[in-house]
Amino acid sequence: MPSVSRSASQPELTALFASVQQHFQDVIVPLWQGPGWNADMALPYEALDAEHRPLPPQRYRAMACARQLYLFASLIGQVPQAEERAAALFRSLQQHFHDAEHGGWFYSIDPQGAPQDQRKDLYTHAFILFACAHYWDKVREPLVESVLNATLEVLAQRFATGDGLYEASLDRDWSSLNSGPLQNPLMHLAEAFLAILSVREDAAVQGALIELCTAMQKRFIDPQHAVLMEKPLGAVDNWFEPGHQFEWYFLLESSPLLRVSKLHASLDCAFTFTEQLGVDQQTGAVCAMLELDDHPRDATQRIWAQAEYLRALTLRPNSEASVQRQLQALQQRFLHAGGWYECRDEQGEVSRKDMPSTTPYHLATCYRGLADYLG
């Protein structure tokens, strides 16, 4: 069905999405333009409480800065002062988190701005790459692209393990911490590579992305259920997360390059299995963690997993009713007049009322997927 006619033929879904988008622009984004912004540090606070007061700062993370850079870069031209905020966040990334001595980026700084956790974290570097790709696409400033290129170089020279995968964590001086590869940072690296390929041709990045997905299929896909495990196969105490299954599915399905991969075939095959085990059929709630023997490891319901399931559904066949049901579930169970609920427990009770600065990234990417779906 053409996207234009889908929007026209589903006025209820279109109206519901308009309402949710309005909430995002009128309620959520202003939280991070006002009370969530530490003007002295030019950084977002890590989280706000239910009354919109910053939680006492324990740290500031480069990853949180990068996610907010993506958020405001995506809003350039739509929200007043978005370009100015994105520019400030990009400067802060350089000023606060860049390791001038060893290269790469610190994980965190303390409340006074001194380096705190100085390890080199793949998850953080992936988000810096992702944010810079989107920001460069909007502003085309040479400095932004040079930071992007420098981060790519660090990934290839320091994190890469020669088999398509990457170390999850290294010490400040790039010495080994024996972390090995982990699913979540590798997924966000794939997301960052896709973001780069969406804004420029890059044969090296394309090759690295294909090698990464080939290695993920080999090292992380459970051969019986085709689900993607959080640790490499054979690791002690392994599990899988429905939210990550759905997030990977969206990345693979939305890319013509990756849609023909074996990894895509696995995630496509496992989609219904993951829904049956990980999504409550009554409420639409997505379970946080599952064991392969069907037992919940953590039954917490997190807003980011709800957003990723909803986004993935937009790329499934004949999914109109499911998309509308899940968008209603997101709105009714997680969004409220003052912002959002981060987590609900197994019984559906709100278990975390603070609002982290990292969550709007998930909502922004979800809503972008919905906008493409509705045309």
Side-chain angles (χ1 to χ4, degrees), residues 32 34-38 45-49 51-57 60:
W32 303 102
W37 181 245
N38 181 336
Y45 288 104
E46 286 279 313
L48 297 174
D49 69 15
E51 283 71 48
H52 299 171
R53 296 170 302 209
L55 299 188
Y60 297 91

Side-chain angles (χ1 to χ4, degrees), residues 163-182:
D163 57 357
L165 298 177
Y166 300 76
E167 289 282 342
S169 183
L170 294 162
D171 217 339
R172 182 190 175 183
D173 63 0
W174 304 111
S175 57
S176 175
L177 295 171
N178 297 311
S179 68
L182 294 172

Side-chain angles (χ1 to χ4, degrees), residues 226-286:
V227 292
L228 194 68
M229 304 303 290
E230 291 294 310
K231 298 178 185 178
L233 299 178
V236 176
D237 196 29
N238 215 344
W239 73 95
F240 73 103
E241 300 191 12
H244 288 150
Q245 301 290 123
F246 299 134
E247 199 168 354
W248 264 110
Y249 175 82
F250 181 88
L251 296 175
L252 296 163
E253 177 66 26
S254 62
S255 164
L257 179 67
L258 301 181
R259 207 178 295 143
V260 296
S261 67
K262 289 182 179 178
L263 187 62
H264 175 270
S266 294
L267 271 291
D268 187 43
C269 176
F271 199 96
T272 302
F273 174 79
T274 306
E275 282 183 308
Q276 289 169 348
L277 263 64
V279 180
D280 186 301
Q281 297 308 304
Q282 305 306 120
T283 64
V286 180

Side-chain angles (χ1 to χ4, degrees), residues 271 275 308-316 319 322-323 326:
F271 199 96
E275 282 183 308
E308 293 302 339
Y309 179 44
L310 175 55
R311 184 169 72 145
L313 285 172
T314 65
L315 299 183
R316 297 295 284 173
S319 62
S322 300
V323 169
Q326 284 304 128

Side-chain angles (χ1 to χ4, degrees), residues 1-15 371 373-375:
M1 183 188 295
S3 58
V4 174
S5 63
R6 176 187 283 133
S7 180
S9 68
Q10 292 190 275
E12 282 184 44
L13 178 56
T14 304
Y373 173 76
L374 287 168

